[in-house]
Amino acid sequence: MQCRYKKITVKVGSNVLAKADGTLNVSRIAHLVDQIALLHKNGVEVVLVSSGAVAAGRAVMSETKKSDAVSQRQLWAALGQVKLISRYSDFFQEDGLTCAQVLTTKENFSSRGHYLNMKNCITTLLENKVIPIVNENDTISVTELMFTDNDELSGLIASMVDSEALIILSNIDGVYNAHPESEGAELIERIEITEKGPKNAISSQRSNFGRGGMLTKFRIAKKVAGDGIGVHVANGTRPDVLIDLLDKSKNLKHTFFVPNKKPSSGVKKWIGYSDGFTKGQIVINEGAAKALISDKAVSLLPVGIEKIEGEFKKGDLIKITDTNGLLVGMGKASYGSDKIDKEKQTEKQKPVIHYDYLYLENRTNST
């Protein structure tokens, strides 16, 4: 078997791992493990981002004393994490492999230090031939700082560990030009990061058992592809989907997001997934916005700033928007908001955000 990649992140969703009644599909987990084991034996490093804890917990205790959704989710996640990782562990052992559980929350990525600690943990597991199984810790992630879903988490993990590809396994074949159930809907097999058209045709409906949907997958896939990582969205309910997807001799029908030829640096990848931790916002004029998204590598100077919203200090992450309110990017402040007006008066202005610490949303030319 000739594999397309040597290092991948695989995200498997609740709609793939759960049966129609919401309980765990154990046979599908076993088949997924067998595929990962075969890839591993062919020299492919695999990080698995797996949903399914809540589905596993629901099977253990369907009737609960707590009626509110948050408490139920906490209970099912706490019960289900044990059951889910136990299933994975047993199946990997049958294939002669060891897996490890890595539970995280969005707050674990709030600082560069936390981010690097997480990266070091997963890298160490891979170096020791252990399969990392990553999941959000739903038992405590119940605030506005939750990941949108595991699609967002998988994108962050793929970028963090420098995967060559992110493979998102859903319960349909990929991204369609209309709702998959509508007449005449066609699978889009290739999407460039410059394309915006397909987004308008994608259903915003969420999956039955997870928190996400195809619109989230599209958004995350474009972001990851912008970082220089190829993204494949494929049908995880199909037998041998991972094997056929990675085999160079086969052409599996699915959606591929073409990666940017200029990959982002490690620090920019971290900034790109840290929008929940920004401290303030700066509004820039049209000239500054055009300069930032041009082919040239430029830093953001105070002269381009129209307005400051909120306060920030040196080292804080801040959002950058244009005068229409559209997000241009994010960056790490070189100095505090209280010094910007004074810096505008100087002959040689110091950048508010240096290019090395600037992440742009429209990154077709500029990462």
Side-chain angles (χ1 to χ4, degrees), residues 41-54:
K41 286 163 187 172
N42 278 273
V44 182
E45 288 185 322
V46 181
V47 178
L48 177 61
V49 178
S50 175
S51 303
V54 173

Side-chain angles (χ1 to χ4, degrees), residues 133-178:
I133 301 176
V134 186
N135 194 6
E136 182 170 15
N137 191 348
D138 286 331
T139 59
I140 58 174
S141 295
V142 292
T143 69
E144 67 278 0
L145 287 179
M146 290 174 73
F147 288 105
T148 307
D149 55 26
N150 270 352
D151 294 318
E152 184 183 7
L153 174 59
S154 69
L156 195 155
I157 295 294
S159 292
M160 170 195 284
V161 301
D162 298 319
S163 289
E164 294 174 75
L166 168 63
I167 297 169
I168 299 176
L169 298 181
S170 183
N171 60 344
I172 55 175
D173 291 341
V175 179
Y176 286 78
N177 62 357

